[in-house]
Amino acid sequence: NRARAWVAAVGFAVAVPGLFLVGSSPIFFFTVIGLLLFGVGRGFFDTNCMPLLRQISAQRYSATGYGFLTLAGCIAGGLVTYGSGALLDAKISLGIVFRCAALGMAIAAVALAVLKSRKSLLE
């Protein structure tokens, strides 16, 4: 059943234009629309994260796996915040950062769309 991976891929695909709009638009209204698109797309991914993890890992590792996903997300969020501040100090526009993030999410959407289905990787 690849539906969960497809839902996450669709969520990323919805979020990509939102991030690109946030990084490119000088008009506040369009920035808000971009953030709304990003939020909706992120919701697709977040609601499927645990079920997708349970589908590809052994049941006994799922809580540990979700803990590591949360840990990685928190560390990444902190590093991105620090890096964004460093880029602003270096006079590099955050618009570039948002557009690069959109590119990364587009790659992730394609990777999730072509993911091969397996019952479990760790059983």
Side-chain angles (χ1 to χ4, degrees), residues 3-122:
R4 287 189 180 100
W6 272 101
V7 169
V10 167
F12 278 159
V14 168
V16 165
L19 271 181
F20 193 80
L21 196 58
V22 168
S24 301
S25 179
I27 300 170
F28 181 71
F29 175 76
F30 292 123
T31 302
V32 170
I33 296 298
L35 289 171
L36 286 170
L37 278 173
F38 174 75
V40 168
R42 177 75 192 258
F44 275 75
F45 176 74
D46 284 347
T47 57
N48 271 315
C49 196
M50 183 59 158
L52 184 59
L53 178 66
R54 299 262 330 209
Q55 184 175 336
I56 64 170
S57 69
Q59 182 177 353
R60 64 184 179 179
Y61 298 124
S62 63
T64 302
Y66 199 68
F68 277 114
L69 280 173
T70 304
L71 172 70
C74 289
I75 290 172
L79 291 174
V80 166
T81 302
Y82 178 79
S84 296
L87 289 172
L88 280 175
D89 290 344
K91 307 293 185 229
I92 296 173
S93 168
L94 285 183
I96 294 170
V97 175
F98 281 114
R99 290 189 294 270
C100 289
L103 177 64
M105 287 187 88
I107 292 168
V110 171
L112 282 168
V114 300
L115 184 70
K116 299 283 186 214
S117 181
R118 287 190 192 177
K119 184 172 186 214
S120 177
L121 297 175
L122 300 175

